Structures are given as C-alpha cells and as structure tokens.
Amino acid sequence: PEFLFGTTWRPANDIYGIFPMIVGSIYVTAGAMVVGVPTGLLCAIFLSRFASGKIAAVLKPGVELLAGIPSVVYGFFGLVILVPFVRANTPDNVTGNGLSLLAASVLLGIMILPTLISVGEASIRAVPESYYEGALALGATPEETVFKVMLPAAKSGLTAGVILAIDRSIGEAMAVSMVAGNQPIIPDSLFSGVRTLTANIVLEMGYATDLHREALIACGVVLFVFILIINFCV
C-alpha cells in the first residue's frame, strides 16, 4: 500500500511512493484523449466520406508520415514550440515554466492522431455502402447519414482505434519526459509539472541499483496491469 498510494518518491532515502506517477499517467492520458480523439475521428470521417481524390492523395501520406516520426522528434517539437507557447499563456497567478501537464497532453494528443485516423478511416470504409445509399434515399442529408448511420455502424472499429490510442499514450516515455516537467507530485493545475510511470522508469533506470531498481521494475508491472485494466474496461 505504501508503494502504490504513497505520495513521496525519494530514492535517496529509500522512500518509494508512486501514487503521483499513477495520477500523472491518468491525467496525461485523459488530456491526450480530449485533444486527440475528436480531432482524429473528424479527420477520419473527412478522409473516408467527404475528401476529394486530390485532397485525400495529399492528406493520407501526411498521416502516414506522422506515424513514422520518432518520439524524440515529437519531444523536440514540443520543447521548442508547445512549451514556450504554454509558458507565454500561463496565468499570472499560476507558477509554471511551460513544462507541464498541458504541454504533455497536447503533444500526446498529436502523437495518437495517426492511429486514430488510420483505424477510424478503415472502420468507416468497412461499413456497407448500402447503409449510406439507403439513408440518403430516406431523405437524410450526407452529414446526417455519416454521423447517425455510418458512425454507429462502425463503432466497434472506432472503439478499437481509441483503445490503441490509449495504449499508445500510456506507453509513451521519451516525448513526455521532455515536456512534462518530471516532477513526482500530484498536479494541481494544467500548468503544473507532472511525471508519468513510463517517464519515471526511463529517467532513473540507468543509474538505479538494488531496491531502487526493484521499485522501477515494480512501476513497469503496475503500468502493465494498468493497461490491462483499461483494455478490459473499454
């Protein structure tokens, strides 16, 4: 219980409480979903039903390119673009240097877009065309048909895309560690620094020994169980 629910992470004093990292992982993942899921699904809808051939020919390779960009490049983008933007827009009554929960959430929201768009587009295209034509024949507009007929019919595939995006965001370490601030505390605002379980492992595993190393391995086990629970729930 002290390991899972302790709020102090101080390896030098053999104090290992990972609750702030658990909360940080949940917050960052939830923020990424808020940013990425609506954007990704709307892009998937546009590519599958509304985009012309020329536009789709440009956008699809762009989505594939986003999927192939290394995490450290995303992290560098967040460090030079997102972090200064967040720092410049931090309220005066809030302390923060831009390395924050908000920056990490927005960056992860961008990183999960290729997964959401690719899976979402394939799911919508898999719906029989007769659904679309039948709804139009009954007097529905193209927009009503897509949102009220096609999307419900493709919900299983869309849900799978969201699950993959959640797993992707929880498991990301490098980019998050570059922009999140890496403070092992429970964040009290979007502008507070935060540390996730993955970032905690990658930051300290290189020099950890004995009990410290065992605690980091236990963090990995907790992360694995955490992902299993989310998948079963969804």
Coordinates of all heavy atoms in Angstrom, one line a residue, residues 5 12-14 19 29 31 41 46 57 67 84 102 126 136 175 178 192 196 227 231:
F5 N 0.2 3.8 -2.9 CA -0.5 5.0 -2.5 C 0.3 6.1 -1.8 O -0.2 7.1 -1.4 CB -1.7 4.6 -1.6 CG -2.7 3.7 -2.3 CD1 -2.7 2.3 -2.0 CD2 -3.5 4.1 -3.3 CE1 -3.6 1.5 -2.6 CE2 -4.4 3.3 -3.9 CZ -4.4 1.9 -3.6
A12 N 16.8 8.4 -2.7 CA 18.0 8.5 -1.8 C 17.7 8.1 -0.3 O 18.6 7.8 0.4 CB 18.5 10.0 -1.9
N13 N 16.4 8.3 0.1 CA 16.0 7.9 1.4 C 15.2 6.6 1.5 O 14.6 6.3 2.5 CB 15.2 9.1 2.0 CG 15.9 10.4 2.1 OD1 15.9 11.2 1.2 ND2 16.6 10.6 3.2
D14 N 15.3 5.9 0.4 CA 14.5 4.6 0.3 C 13.0 4.8 0.5 O 12.4 4.0 1.2 CB 15.1 3.6 1.3 CG 16.4 3.0 0.7 OD1 16.6 3.0 -0.5 OD2 17.2 2.5 1.6
F19 N 2.1 6.9 -6.2 CA 0.8 7.5 -6.5 C 0.8 8.7 -7.4 O 0.0 8.9 -8.3 CB 0.1 7.7 -5.2 CG -1.4 8.1 -5.4 CD1 -2.3 7.1 -5.8 CD2 -1.8 9.4 -5.1 CE1 -3.6 7.4 -6.0 CE2 -3.2 9.7 -5.2 CZ -4.1 8.7 -5.7
T29 N -2.9 10.9 -20.0 CA -3.7 10.1 -21.0 C -5.1 10.7 -21.2 O -5.5 10.8 -22.4 CB -3.8 8.7 -20.5 OG1 -2.5 8.1 -20.3 CG2 -4.6 7.8 -21.5
G31 N -6.0 13.8 -20.9 CA -5.8 15.0 -21.7 C -5.5 14.8 -23.1 O -6.0 15.4 -24.0
L41 N -11.0 11.5 -35.1 CA -12.3 10.9 -35.6 C -12.8 11.8 -36.7 O -13.3 11.3 -37.8 CB -13.3 10.7 -34.5 CG -13.0 9.6 -33.5 CD1 -14.1 9.4 -32.5 CD2 -12.6 8.3 -34.2
F46 N -13.7 12.8 -42.5 CA -13.4 13.7 -43.7 C -12.7 12.9 -44.8 O -13.1 13.0 -45.9 CB -12.6 14.9 -43.3 CG -12.2 15.8 -44.4 CD1 -13.1 16.6 -45.0 CD2 -10.9 15.8 -44.9 CE1 -12.8 17.4 -46.1 CE2 -10.6 16.6 -46.0 CZ -11.5 17.4 -46.6
A57 N -5.3 12.3 -51.5 CA -4.0 11.9 -52.0 C -2.9 12.7 -51.3 O -1.7 12.2 -51.2 CB -3.9 12.1 -53.5
A67 N 3.0 9.0 -38.5 CA 3.1 7.8 -37.8 C 4.6 7.3 -37.8 O 5.0 6.6 -36.9 CB 2.3 6.7 -38.5
P84 N 7.2 26.8 -25.0 CA 7.2 28.2 -25.0 C 5.8 28.8 -25.1 O 5.4 29.8 -24.5 CB 8.0 28.6 -26.2 CG 8.9 27.5 -26.4 CD 8.1 26.3 -26.1
L102 N -0.3 20.2 -19.4 CA -1.0 20.7 -20.6 C -0.1 20.4 -21.8 O -0.6 19.9 -22.8 CB -1.3 22.2 -20.5 CG -1.9 22.8 -21.7 CD1 -3.2 22.2 -22.0 CD2 -2.1 24.3 -21.5
A126 N -15.3 0.3 -44.0 CA -15.8 -1.1 -44.0 C -17.3 -1.2 -43.9 O -17.9 -2.3 -44.1 CB -15.1 -1.8 -42.8
L136 N -29.7 8.1 -47.5 CA -29.9 9.2 -48.5 C -31.3 9.0 -49.1 O -32.0 10.0 -49.3 CB -28.8 9.2 -49.5 CG -27.4 9.7 -49.0 CD1 -26.5 9.7 -50.2 CD2 -27.5 11.0 -48.4
A175 N 9.0 11.4 -25.4 CA 8.4 12.7 -25.7 C 7.8 13.3 -24.4 O 8.0 14.5 -24.1 CB 7.4 12.5 -26.7
M178 N 10.3 14.8 -22.0 CA 10.9 16.0 -22.5 C 10.1 17.3 -22.2 O 10.6 18.4 -22.1 CB 11.3 15.9 -24.0 CG 12.3 14.9 -24.3 SD 12.6 14.7 -26.1 CE 13.3 16.2 -26.5
S192 N 0.9 22.6 -14.0 CA 1.9 22.0 -13.1 C 2.7 21.0 -13.8 O 2.3 20.3 -14.8 CB 1.1 21.4 -11.9 OG 0.4 22.3 -11.2
T196 N 5.0 10.8 -15.4 CA 4.3 9.6 -15.6 C 5.1 8.3 -15.2 O 6.3 8.4 -14.9 CB 3.9 9.4 -17.1 OG1 5.1 9.3 -17.9 CG2 3.1 10.6 -17.5
I227 N -2.7 -0.9 -17.9 CA -3.1 -1.0 -19.3 C -4.1 -2.2 -19.5 O -5.1 -2.0 -20.2 CB -1.9 -1.3 -20.3 CG1 -1.0 0.0 -20.3 CG2 -2.3 -1.6 -21.7 CD1 0.3 -0.2 -21.0
N231 N -8.0 -1.8 -20.9 CA -8.5 -2.5 -22.1 C -9.7 -3.3 -21.7 O -10.7 -3.4 -22.5 CB -7.4 -3.4 -22.6 CG -6.3 -2.7 -23.3 OD1 -6.4 -1.5 -23.6 ND2 -5.2 -3.3 -23.6

